[in-house]
Amino acid sequence: MAKTEKFERKIAVTGGAGFIGSNLLLYLVSRYPRYFFVNIDCLTYAGNLSNLISIEKAPNYRFEKIDICDYAAVSACFEKYDFDGLIHLAAESHVDRSIAGPAEFVKTNVIGTFNLLEAARQKIARGGNFRFHHVSTDEVFGSLGESGYFGESTPYNPNSPYSATKAGSDHLVRAYHKTYGLDAVTTNCSNNYGPYQFPEKLIPLMIRNAKAGLPLPVYGDGRNIRDWLYVEDHCRAIDLVFHRGKSGKTYNIGGHNEIENIELVRLVCRLMDEILGGEPREKLITYVTDRPGHDRRYAIDASFIENELGWKPQYSFEQGIRRTVTWYLENEVWLENCVSGQYLKYYEKMYSNR
Ligand code: NAD
Ligand code: DAU
């Protein structure tokens, strides 16, 4: 067993080298010096340990390079640290990649989650408390029309291979709670944005392309709507639900911030024009073939987490998007390091014939 006795709690965070995981660990490791955090991540293209340089030597943080699809490794790690909690973020997360190749999504999102649930089941069988916090998405609910919101009791209706695998993992978590009494909570969050997001996702992709004078590829008519939430607000919500969420409950998290993709891209262009000067970047906007099965609108009713746990987003969209654009412009080296040969191949495949 690792020497962690002096800590109050030992918590595993899977996917801690990804976008939300990194922001979460940067937030939690300093906020809870009496907790010990183990970042379990196999470092796919989306995992980047350089995000975590400021905490890598912290006494209450450790990294374990483990693939959650490898049950023996997961189980050994659980035995080594004797965790009493897990915040599960590891996943294949990009919808377009799931359309091009769903197999990895089934493996990591379904089998990987199953392995963690099994390790948790073994842990409770040995005795002691264990809280399983599953981080999921609003995409499990499918697509909204012009009105209405996703609530906690909205029926599941996933449309992409990504959302279908996340839905499968949500169901497994619920089943382990009901069947084995696992203390589990699930959060279903809307689109996050902010620092450390891989530049395959809409906002960092647009910032990077606009900076380089490349086309800004808008899918379909550009009128699909997403409900954007600044990543730090999501991290605060996870912190609250992990500590105070009711066992067996699910919590929807969203920014009350619906915006059409085309409006968002125009806004990013205007901010970049203001900061960098030069020709208006809106002229780079290029409409391209739509994403197959593209969900039209997502919008979250977050009243349950607001009323139950007192959560509210702290960042307005104006603040969050300005911080985000500024962060990517100031962290050009980080951005360009993500864009390795692998990413260029992906970009070519995804966008060359659209
Ligand atoms: P990301 O793609 O940026 O990061 C995923 C991380 O998981 C990476 O560090 C990667 O190396 C790791 N990983 C992938 N497969 C693994 C495996 N088999 N074993 C161990 N580690 C593995 O994802 P993200 O955007 O930070 O999303 C994190 C979680 O939050 C996901 O579960 C996602 O479904 C969920 N979520 C994301 C959003 C969003 O807007 N990004 C919104 C709601 C929910
Ligand atoms: O809603 C939560 C989900 O948000 C998370 O579960 C996913 O992990 C995360 O990737 C995100 O999914 P989206 O598909 O909504 O995000 P993405 O950034 O890929 O796309 C946002 C919108 O922008 C979507 O309507 C598709 C559109 N888009 C995207 C890209 C990459 C474009 O128009 N052009 C693009 O090049």
Side-chain angles (χ1 to χ4, degrees):
M1 188 177 298
K3 287 206 166 137
T4 53
E5 292 83 7
K6 65 177 180 166
F7 293 99
E8 270 170 24
R9 298 199 64 177
K10 288 163 272 177
I11 296 163
V13 176
T14 68
F19 160 50
I20 301 172
S22 295
N23 280 285
L24 182 68
L25 278 167
L26 293 172
Y27 176 78
L28 293 177
V29 166
S30 54
R31 188 174 165 84
Y32 295 102
R34 298 176 65 82
Y35 290 11
F36 189 76
F37 294 96
V38 178
N39 174 8
I40 296 176
D41 199 302
C42 71
L43 303 179
T44 67
Y45 77 92
N48 187 345
L49 285 180
S50 77
N51 305 349
L52 299 165
I53 282 172
S54 65
I55 56 164
E56 72 183 0
K57 295 200 168 66
N60 64 333
Y61 167 77
R62 195 163 301 170
F63 171 67
E64 292 277 0
K65 187 170 187 302
I66 288 173
D67 184 339
I68 58 167
C69 300
D70 177 351
Y71 180 69
V74 167
S75 172
C77 184
F78 270 57
E79 286 204 17
K80 176 173 170 188
Y81 292 102
D82 194 28
F83 299 120
D84 57 55
L86 164 79
I87 305 177
H88 173 36
L89 297 108
E92 288 294 337
S93 70
H94 193 46
V95 173
D96 292 326
R97 287 185 193 256
S98 82
I99 296 167
E104 285 305 310
F105 287 72
V106 175
K107 268 191 242 157
T108 290
N109 301 359
V110 182
I111 308 293
T113 303
F114 165 69
N115 285 341
L116 293 165
L117 287 164
E118 275 296 284
R121 186 161 78 92
Q122 298 311 322
K123 155 75 191 177
I124 54 176
R126 288 194 296 270
N129 296 330
F130 191 88
R131 166 146 280 204
F132 193 112
H133 182 147
H134 178 53
V135 177
S136 191
T137 170
D138 60 356
E139 299 202 9
V140 297
F141 301 118
S143 186
L144 289 165
E146 278 177 17
S147 61
Y149 296 90
F150 296 135
E152 282 77 7
S153 54
T154 300
Y156 273 38
N157 194 19
N159 291 318
S160 70
Y162 162 70
S163 53
T165 60
K166 291 297 289 187
S169 63
D170 291 12
H171 291 320
L172 279 171
V173 173
R174 198 190 58 241
Y176 272 63
H177 170 72
K178 291 272 182 196
T179 308
Y180 304 114
L182 178 69
D183 172 14
V185 283
T186 295
T187 44
N188 295 93
C189 188
S190 64
N191 286 63
N192 285 215
Y193 69 102
Y196 305 115
Q197 187 166 33
F198 194 81
E200 65 192 350
K201 306 291 199 296
L202 180 71
I203 292 177
L205 184 143
M206 293 298 164
I207 297 171
R208 180 171 180 272
N209 283 17
K211 176 117 194 291
L214 294 169
L216 306 179
V218 172
Y219 297 167
D221 65 2
R223 303 203 55 197
N224 301 67
I225 291 174
R226 296 294 181 263
D227 174 359
W228 294 92
L229 180 70
Y230 193 64
V231 63
E232 220 175 285
D233 282 322
H234 187 192
C235 293
R236 283 191 310 102
I238 293 172
D239 181 14
L240 274 176
V241 174
F242 178 74
H243 283 98
R244 294 184 21 222
K246 281 201 184 116
S247 188
K249 290 283 180 201
T250 67
Y251 292 82
N252 282 5
I253 306 168
H256 302 295
N257 182 52
E258 294 178 51
I259 180 165
E260 287 185 350
N261 292 339
I262 185 65
E263 278 315 310
L264 176 49
V265 175
R266 287 196 181 118
L267 175 61
V268 167
C269 288
R270 284 198 299 277
L271 278 171
M272 291 185 63
D273 294 347
E274 185 193 309
I275 298 168
L276 298 174
E279 289 285 294
R281 288 168 177 79
E282 278 192 25
K283 70 176 196 305
L284 297 169
I285 292 175
T286 310
Y287 288 93
V288 300
T289 310
D290 210 353
R291 172 187 279 176
H294 196 176
D295 287 336
R296 192 64 173 169
R297 173 171 168 258
Y298 303 146
I300 287 274
D301 172 2
S303 53
F304 183 51
I305 187 171
E306 289 173 357
N307 297 333
E308 183 97 353
L309 302 178
W311 176 85
K312 261 202 182 317
Q314 283 181 353
Y315 287 87
S316 70
F317 190 58
E318 291 66 30
Q319 289 170 320
I321 194 70
R322 193 173 276 278
R323 274 173 90 99
T324 302
V325 169
T326 308
W327 189 88
Y328 285 96
L329 294 178
E330 285 174 354
N331 288 275
E332 199 174 357
V333 173
W334 182 91
L335 194 55
E336 291 313 312
N337 281 346
C338 292
V339 187
S340 65
Q342 280 304 326
Y343 177 76
L344 294 179
K345 272 191 218 141
Y346 162 84
Y347 194 86
E348 182 68 14
K349 183 173 157 202
M350 221 38 109
Y351 292 93
S352 60
N353 291 319
R354 265 197 127 106

